[in-house]
Amino acid sequence: MMNQVMLAENVYLVGKNDDRKVPFHRLVLEKGTTYNAYLLKTEKPTVIDTVDMEFGREFVEHLSKMVELKDIQYIVINHTEPDHSGGLALLSRRAPEATIVCTEPAVNELKEMYNLHSRNFLVVKDGDTLDIGGKTLKFKETPYLHTQETMITYCVEDKILFPCDIFSTHVANHEVFADQAGFDITDDFIGYYQAIIHPHRRYVKTLIDALEDLDVQMIAPSHGFILREDIEKYVDIYESMSVDCPAGKKAVIVYTTWRNSTKKIAENLKKVLEESNIEVSLFNADKSDKAEIIESIKHADAVFVGSSTKYADMIGRLEDVLREMTKMNLEGKIGAAFGSYGWSGEAIEVIQDYLTQTNMDVQSTSQVIKTTGMTDVEFPVRVRFAPKGEQLRKVEHSAAYVADLLLSAV
């Protein structure tokens, strides 16, 4: 069933209600979900987000009964994941003059996903506005909630926030508004936050800051209920659940280095962890007492181990520490490997092999992608030559990811 509900003058909900048990992010949504899209019938007709690709044709046909598709001027894509952008390919064919509005990181993703290489894109940045003829849209970038390209859209005149996945619920609701649901949606709202948003909790502050200068009277997300009462309550849930847990967490970073590139990685890991109020002990295994290192590892919550690669192997006395770690009970600790290299970086993989012989929770790229969908976090942390530019950002994102694991309230 396609929804068609007027939220404000010339603003319509036009999404899909999917009341099946829906497989989603390796979960089964027992209450189903909705794919909410929005039509603003202004002088320059605008669509905000679409629906899951499974329902793309139905969505476009439904939309065609409400507006001449060839007259659509803008299609705003807040987030490129196919449950929101999935109708874009068909819609763009039927609306050939429409400009696609998104953040810069979204452009190539949308071009590649839907073969839109010849389409006109409008790249918006934080705080940009767009006049759509009688209404004004304001855009705020909210990266990593829950992917890099994500933004939120605010209709100035109607005071409606269109935040895509943010503030959503997974419920196939036949009553569109939360205040008409007939039950308290708070548990569903929190459940969605924990499943989708909480792994990216450090970026919630960006969202809260973005909302400070917006007078939000209605939140129209891309899943579940539309919120028009108790707005502050739902924003407060996000803010309070993203706050760091009590201090006292400790991390140990042990490394050996050849030309100081691995040392620089270690120092950047330390910097990011300390910014999250995590106590960090940093050891060069060639210059520190092994007994002191082992004692610190015993009391740590997370252990990073890294080496430069020379002649396809680790360097220095790091292997002595790793051998000792395989004999220890390290249950409950987080482990991560890192290092720099010039060719293939075998030492980093050898460290990873040692760590997986322990009973630590050893981080891997595969694990991160499967649990969060994040592609900017990499384990082991591999840097070719010196950490700079995009490679340095990956180091920092990986450290931040471990910090979030340590401080997570869930």
Side-chain angles (χ1 to χ4, degrees), residues 179-308:
D179 54 280
Q180 295 179 343
F183 65 95
D184 185 350
I185 73 159
T186 303
D187 286 346
D188 292 296
F189 184 84
I190 291 173
Y192 183 98
Y193 169 89
Q194 291 175 333
I196 305 299
I197 302 297
H198 196 73
H200 315 274
R201 53 191 284 280
R202 74 169 38 240
Y203 304 103
V204 170
K205 187 179 186 305
T206 304
L207 168 68
I208 302 303
D209 290 345
L211 296 179
E212 282 188 356
D213 64 345
L214 304 180
D215 181 13
V216 179
Q217 299 298 315
M218 182 183 295
I219 298 177
S222 287
H223 293 295
F225 293 103
I226 292 172
L227 310 172
R228 61 182 179 182
E229 294 184 1
D230 300 321
I231 299 296
E232 188 175 343
K233 165 190 167 180
Y234 294 109
V235 174
D236 286 347
I237 288 173
Y238 267 53
E239 186 170 18
S240 63
M241 293 191 71
S242 67
V243 172
D244 288 343
C245 279
K249 299 294 183 179
K250 297 180 180 180
V252 169
I253 303 173
V254 188
Y255 71 96
T256 49
T257 190
W258 185 18
R259 293 182 174 175
N260 286 329
S261 291
T262 301
K263 178 183 178 181
K264 291 176 182 177
I265 299 171
E267 290 171 342
N268 276 282
L269 293 170
K270 180 176 185 287
K271 175 180 70 72
V272 174
L273 292 168
E274 288 182 336
E275 286 171 355
S276 294
N277 296 317
I278 295 169
E279 181 183 333
V280 181
S281 298
L282 183 66
F283 297 100
N284 182 328
D286 287 339
K287 298 181 179 180
S288 303
D289 180 68
K290 187 179 80 169
E292 182 183 358
I293 296 172
I294 296 302
E295 188 63 24
S296 293
I297 289 173
K298 288 179 182 177
H299 300 287
D301 300 290
V303 183
F304 289 81
V305 183
S307 174
S308 305

Side-chain angles (χ1 to χ4, degrees), residues 133-154:
K135 295 184 189 291
T136 307
L137 300 182
K138 186 171 186 175
F139 307 99
K140 291 280 193 173
E141 293 181 85
T142 52
Y144 305 109
L145 290 178
H146 58 112
T147 49
Q148 182 184 8
E149 84 296 340
T150 305
M151 68 178 185
I152 58 178
T153 300
Y154 175 72

Side-chain angles (χ1 to χ4, degrees), residues 385-408:
F385 302 115
K388 56 186 176 182
E390 185 58 33
Q391 291 194 103
L392 178 56
R393 282 188 286 275
K394 281 198 171 187
V395 171
E396 293 172 343
H397 285 154
S398 298
Y401 178 81
V402 171
D404 285 347
L405 289 179
L406 291 178
L407 300 173
S408 176

